Amino acid sequence: MMVTSSELQEQVANVVKKLTRSVVNITTTRLLPSVFLLPVPVKGVGTGFIIDDEGHVVTNAHVLTDVRRAEVYLNNGEMVEARLVGKDPWTDVAVMKIKGSDLEPVELGDSDKLSVGQFVIAIGNSFGLAGGPTVTFGVISALGRHIRTERGPLLAGLIQTDAAINPGNSGGPLVDLEGKVIGMNTAIIPYAQGIGFAIPINLVSKVAKDLIRLGFVRRPWLGINGVDVDPKMARHYGLGVSKGALVVNVIRGGPAWQAGLRSGDVIVAIQGVEVKGMDDLIGQIWEETPGSKVEVTVVRRGKLMKLNVVLGTTPSY
């Protein structure tokens, strides 16, 4: 059944109207040194959205980095009391809790069921401009992107979209045409022009639950150190494979050690999904949960092997 442009416009407008009450504006204040090394307050803006009836709000962790003060405003302009529950820079997810009446949480979708080419809507408070949330429209252009940020952490499994995500949109919802949130927008990627990225909502939800319940994130742990394999390295060491993740060190007693992985192995797949390097490996592992069993395919002295690893929890040192 064909959908006319007017019907599509009406559908988008209805989704935006539905989500508006659930989106909040976050205004932050940081103290940064001036040219005379004196602290100067600098304002910042971001977006968040309400995920439950208890008033928990998710946003990007980078929105709240080094913040001395954060103010949260509802769509009606009311400033509400807010406190930081926790944040995880490795996934760029933070949780705040607000107080207010008639708080309306969003409806969460399933980011494991997305398709390239699917229409999406990004909602946020672009550049902190007055007049309510801003809206951009586009399609999902890729899935499972692994991107390094300016600060170093790897953001794994991202949704790529051509819906514009500008400063101030960070932390806002990416929604489908049914009004279900399928991702959280992030504008932390330094070289993204004409494309935007969003953190899958299934990951956001998992991180948020840990932050709310524990105050920290239980991150799956393989227990190795490794480097990317390239053709030059493969020839020099006779690895027998030109791409993958070379295991340099296995933590004795860790999950990988107990499963039989050893230094010199080249990991080429996790759960049957190709691993081209360390970023792929980290991205695949972080999609799992501590305690889950994963199939790790390795090349050892030219022979292909499959090992089952029960993932642990990343230790705190």
Side-chain angles (χ1 to χ4, degrees):
M1 180 179 175
M2 294 291 292
V3 177
T4 66
S5 60
S6 60
E7 288 173 332
L8 181 59
Q9 288 175 14
E10 183 179 0
Q11 192 170 0
V12 171
N14 288 337
V15 167
V16 173
K17 184 178 180 180
K18 174 184 176 181
L19 267 293
T20 296
R21 283 173 52 87
S22 306
V23 176
V24 301
N25 184 306
I26 301 172
T27 301
T28 61
T29 303
R30 293 178 172 86
L31 290 179
L32 299 179
S34 67
V35 291
F36 302 107
L37 301 181
L38 296 175
V40 175
V42 176
K43 291 288 186 180
V45 291
T47 307
F49 53 95
I50 304 167
I51 58 170
D52 59 29
D53 293 324
E54 297 177 5
H56 288 109
V57 170
V58 291
T59 185
N60 286 149
H62 76 262
V63 169
L64 301 175
T65 299
D66 300 325
V67 165
R68 297 294 298 269
R69 176 181 171 87
E71 298 172 344
V72 176
Y73 296 85
L74 302 180
N75 182 61
N76 60 10
E78 176 189 1
M79 187 178 79
V80 292
E81 182 181 340
R83 68 174 178 87
L84 178 65
V85 174
K87 57 183 178 179
D88 180 48
W90 294 101
T91 52
D92 200 24
V93 174
V95 178
M96 305 177 77
K97 189 171 184 180
I98 63 174
K99 290 185 178 180
S101 57
D102 277 341
L103 298 179
E104 190 168 316
V106 299
E107 183 180 359
L108 302 182
D110 185 352
S111 52
D112 288 338
K113 296 181 179 179
L114 301 179
S115 302
V116 174
Q118 180 177 337
F119 286 132
V120 288
I121 306 162
I123 303 176
N125 293 289
S126 184
F127 300 102
L129 300 176
T134 60
V135 178
T136 56
F137 180 77
V139 299
I140 294 175
S141 48
L143 294 167
R145 293 297 199 203
H146 304 324
I147 304 294
R148 288 273 174 195
T149 69
E150 286 180 304
R151 292 174 179 261
L154 172 76
L155 296 184
L158 298 180
I159 302 165
Q160 181 180 314
T161 175
D162 63 359
I165 297 174
N166 301 305
N169 281 10
S170 286
L174 186 72
V175 303
D176 62 19
L177 291 185
E178 294 180 359
K180 295 179 180 179
V181 177
I182 49 92
M184 179 168 68
N185 306 324
T186 179
I188 199 173
I189 313 303
Y191 51 84
Q193 295 184 7
I195 57 175
F197 294 94
I199 305 160
I201 196 60
N202 290 4
L203 176 60
V204 173
S205 181
K206 182 166 65 174
V207 171
K209 286 177 181 176
D210 273 358
L211 291 175
I212 292 168
R213 189 175 78 253
L214 305 171
F216 62 92
V217 178
R218 296 175 64 246
R219 201 177 312 284
W221 183 53
L222 183 60
I224 67 149
N225 297 313
V227 296
D228 293 345
V229 172
D230 58 33
K232 183 178 179 181
M233 178 190 295
R235 287 193 303 270
H236 182 78
Y237 291 104
L239 298 177
V241 61
S242 60
K243 56 186 174 182
L246 174 64
V247 178
V248 176
N249 179 49
V250 183
I251 309 302
R252 186 174 291 273
W257 177 272
Q258 293 179 19
L261 268 79
R262 295 296 180 262
S263 299
D265 290 347
V266 179
I267 299 174
V268 294
I270 297 288
Q271 296 289 71
V273 179
E274 183 183 17
V275 168
K276 297 178 182 178
M278 285 301 296
D279 282 359
D280 282 350
L281 175 61
I282 295 169
Q284 290 295 329
I285 293 298
W286 282 6
E287 289 183 9
E288 304 295 333
T289 55
S292 61
K293 182 185 291 186
V294 296
E295 181 185 78
V296 180
T297 305
V298 304
V299 174
R300 178 181 295 174
R301 292 189 287 274
K303 294 182 179 180
L304 203 65
M305 300 176 57
K306 293 185 178 180
L307 302 170
N308 291 316
V309 180
V310 178
L311 298 175
T313 301
T314 302
S316 56
Y317 297 104

